[in-house]
Amino acid sequence: MDNKFTCTLCGECCSGSMKVFLNPYDLYKMGRYLKLSHTEELLERKLITWDQGQNGITLPRILFKTYPFSFCPFLINDFNEEDGLRGRCSLHPDHKPLVCYLAPITRELDLESGEDSFGFVPPHPDCPGCGKGEDVDTEMVRQERKDELEKEKLYYLRLSRLSREFPEEIPSLFLFDLTIPYSP
């Protein structure tokens, strides 16, 4: 399989029926970027919603706008030097959700064994950046985000155990004060 990729800023991975699930640190970064005082404000502003995520756990995800078409509320469309449309993430690079930062690298976490695996998946089926540029160095990206990936893994392992006993409590774990420093 060809693992070459370079982002062309087409914005396709930020539109349509994509579901971008978020971890607590993602919420923290987004909320701080927007100068909010509590993650609940992300819900109030209709920037996130609750949905069934991997392993059936209720998780926050970005709520895409639906008019005039479906797209991420953090997507900025503008024109490049050749007057072609390009899509940029207003959260890039420091406030971007981990899953978006990793793309086109995907992570699958087995909550039973605690093992995770990484692979290459086009961010969008018709992604014009796939097959172009350099090979994606999965290991380098994993090292760049090592602490964040490990803390996310531990969080979801604990969350999985908790969700079996107290599923109704899960959303409250994602609601917290943003004025207190957070470390991934």
Side-chain angles (χ1 to χ4, degrees):
M1 178 202 248
D2 187 11
N3 288 347
K4 293 184 182 308
F5 177 78
T6 189
C7 182
T8 63
L9 301 176
C10 72
E12 288 298 320
C13 59
C14 306
S15 61
S17 61
M18 302 294 287
K19 288 188 176 185
V20 179
F21 288 97
L22 306 166
N23 66 42
Y25 189 53
D26 294 334
L27 296 176
Y28 178 79
K29 291 185 292 185
M30 290 166 59
R32 294 291 293 222
Y33 171 77
L34 295 169
K35 297 181 178 28
L36 305 179
S37 61
H38 200 280
T39 57
E40 226 165 8
E41 292 176 70
L42 293 166
L43 285 161
E44 292 165 3
R45 291 182 179 202
K46 298 188 181 342
L47 295 170
I48 65 169
T49 189
W50 300 106
D51 202 351
Q52 293 293 339
Q54 186 178 6
N55 300 297
I57 299 173
T58 300
L59 297 171
R61 72 167 170 85
I62 294 178
L63 181 60
F64 278 26
K65 295 180 180 186
T66 57
Y67 184 81
F69 56 89
S70 181
F71 63 98
C72 179
F74 299 104
L75 177 65
I76 300 170
N77 284 313
D78 64 5
F79 292 95
N80 62 24
E81 296 78 31
E82 293 84 37
D83 289 330
L85 188 63
R86 71 176 173 187
R88 297 183 298 118
C89 178
S90 62
L91 301 173
H92 184 76
D94 298 328
H95 301 90
K96 194 178 223 178
L98 181 60
V99 68
C100 298
Y101 179 85
L102 292 175
I105 298 169
T106 61
R107 177 190 200 188
E108 192 169 321
L109 178 57
D110 183 332
L111 295 175
E112 294 301 316
S113 70
E115 296 297 317
D116 54 5
S117 58
F118 294 83
F120 178 92
V121 174
H124 183 271
D126 300 318
C127 179
C130 288
K132 296 180 180 174
E134 309 240 343
D135 279 333
V136 174
D137 187 344
T138 304
E139 192 54 39
M140 182 186 76
V141 174
R142 287 175 64 182
Q143 288 304 314
E144 286 174 358
R145 291 289 193 238
K146 183 179 180 179
D147 290 343
E148 193 174 347
L149 287 164
E150 189 57 34
K151 291 201 169 125
E152 180 187 66
K153 179 179 176 177
L154 291 173
Y155 185 82
Y156 283 125
L157 290 170
R158 290 180 190 134
L159 192 63
S160 174
R161 288 191 288 274
L162 184 63
S163 72
R164 290 184 212 124
E165 295 181 45
F166 306 102
E168 68 283 352
E169 296 293 323
I170 299 301
S172 67
L173 300 175
F174 291 91
L175 302 176
F176 51 88
D177 187 337
L178 293 167
T179 61
I180 299 169
Y182 184 101
S183 174

